[in-house]
Amino acid sequence: AQTVTQSQPEMSVQEAETVTLSCTYDTSESNYYLFWYKQPPSRQMILVIRQEAYKQQNATENRFSVNFQKAAKSFSLKISDSQLGDTAMYFCAFIKGSSNTGKLIFGQGTTLQVKP
Amino acid sequence: DAGVTQSPTHLIKTRGQQVTLRCSPKSGHDTVSWYQQALGQGPQFIFQYYEEEERQRGNFPDRFSGHQFPNYSSELNVNALLLGDSALYLCASSLGRNYQETQYFGPGTRLLVL
């Protein structure tokens, strides 16, 4: 069974600084997809970034980038130039790519506080 | 472009009652998934609907059932409510027969069972 682990329950960062959120996963699959979702206090879950496992290049989306280490099964999220609006709970999620499943498997989440 | 919408926003029920939650997918999407999110936890997959049929189910009892309508909107029904069913219920929509398409989430329905 696949599992996703986020080992940092809470983190904080000063506005304009850079922060990295950790995520590790366990799977025997070779084809899969990884996601970071953001859930602000208003609770709507928003997609931050998506990474296909078959792509070696790390995904980026403006101030958000990932460090995808397939051999280590690690998928960390880097937020550059942190803004107050980045305060949220961040979830790492996994989905198998090679079988008929639409089930997203989520980690426990990391609460990020951006301080002024 | 309308995003995923859910109703109601909040709901209070008592043990043993039944509840129906509703979801309208993002414009152009035809697949709806439901998740249960306990406080402070990551969402847990309940089931997914495509072409009006349940095509995958998570580890939830039969008390949890659903339906998808021809316009792709969906309902989640929970019977014989338990205190442990109190949670945020999230609906997510995606496009098409490819299971790995990105899922976009609605704002959720907060259910409290007393």
Side-chain angles (χ1 to χ4, degrees):
Chain A
Q2 288 73 33
T3 58
V4 177
T5 302
Q6 294 178 248
S7 59
Q8 305 152 315
E10 296 181 356
M11 293 191 72
S12 64
V13 63
Q14 292 297 131
E15 198 175 5
E17 293 188 346
T18 296
V19 64
T20 299
L21 309 183
S22 301
C23 171
T24 58
Y25 57 94
D26 187 22
T27 184
S28 58
E29 302 284 327
S30 59
N31 183 21
Y32 50 87
Y33 299 79
L34 295 163
F35 304 83
W36 278 99
Y37 282 92
K38 166 187 176 181
Q39 190 175 39
S42 65
R43 79 179 178 218
Q44 180 134 17
M45 191 92 72
I46 303 165
L47 176 69
V48 175
I49 207 161
R50 168 184 164 119
Q51 174 80 45
E52 291 85 356
Y54 61 84
K55 289 186 177 178
Q56 291 189 333
Q57 186 172 6
N58 289 324
T60 63
E61 195 70 42
N62 300 316
R63 298 183 294 107
F64 298 88
S65 61
V66 297
N67 183 4
F68 174 46
Q69 301 288 328
K70 192 171 184 179
K73 296 180 182 174
S74 170
F75 183 61
S76 60
L77 175 70
K78 185 171 84 171
I79 306 173
S80 304
D81 186 25
S82 296
Q83 300 176 0
L84 295 178
D86 295 333
T87 292
M89 196 155 187
Y90 287 80
F91 291 98
C92 178
F94 167 102
I95 195 167
K96 287 197 284 187
S98 57
S99 60
N100 292 340
T101 175
K103 174 182 177 181
L104 271 171
I105 299 169
F106 285 86
Q108 295 288 83
T110 295
T111 299
L112 175 67
Q113 171 106 40
V114 179
K115 298 179 178 178
Chain B
D1 182 18
V4 180
T5 60
Q6 292 185 243
S7 64
T9 305
H10 294 83
L11 207 49
I12 300 175
K13 292 286 188 178
T14 56
R15 280 179 297 174
Q17 286 189 313
Q18 178 263 343
V19 68
T20 298
L21 311 182
R22 296 177 175 82
C23 171
S24 291
K26 183 177 166 69
S27 179
H29 284 183
D30 56 8
T31 302
V32 173
S33 303
W34 286 93
Y35 293 81
Q36 180 194 67
Q37 186 179 19
L39 199 61
Q41 303 291 316
Q44 299 289 317
F45 177 79
I46 302 175
F47 42 52
Q48 184 179 83
Y49 277 83
Y50 174 66
E51 292 188 339
E52 300 181 54
E53 290 194 0
E54 181 185 295
R55 71 173 177 180
Q56 190 181 7
R57 189 178 183 90
N59 294 326
F60 279 80
D62 292 345
R63 298 186 297 108
F64 290 77
S65 63
H67 188 77
Q68 186 178 35
F69 299 94
N71 67 352
Y72 308 122
S73 67
S74 177
E75 288 182 349
L76 163 66
N77 300 291
V78 187
N79 294 322
L81 284 167
L82 303 174
L83 296 180
D85 295 331
S86 295
L88 180 67
Y89 288 85
L90 297 170
C91 167
S93 75
S94 53
L95 177 62
R97 67 186 66 158
N98 184 352
Y99 283 78
Q100 290 74 38
E101 289 296 326
T102 297
Q103 296 181 27
Y104 295 88
F105 285 82
T109 294
R110 173 75 65 188
L111 173 65
L112 178 62
V113 182
L114 300 176

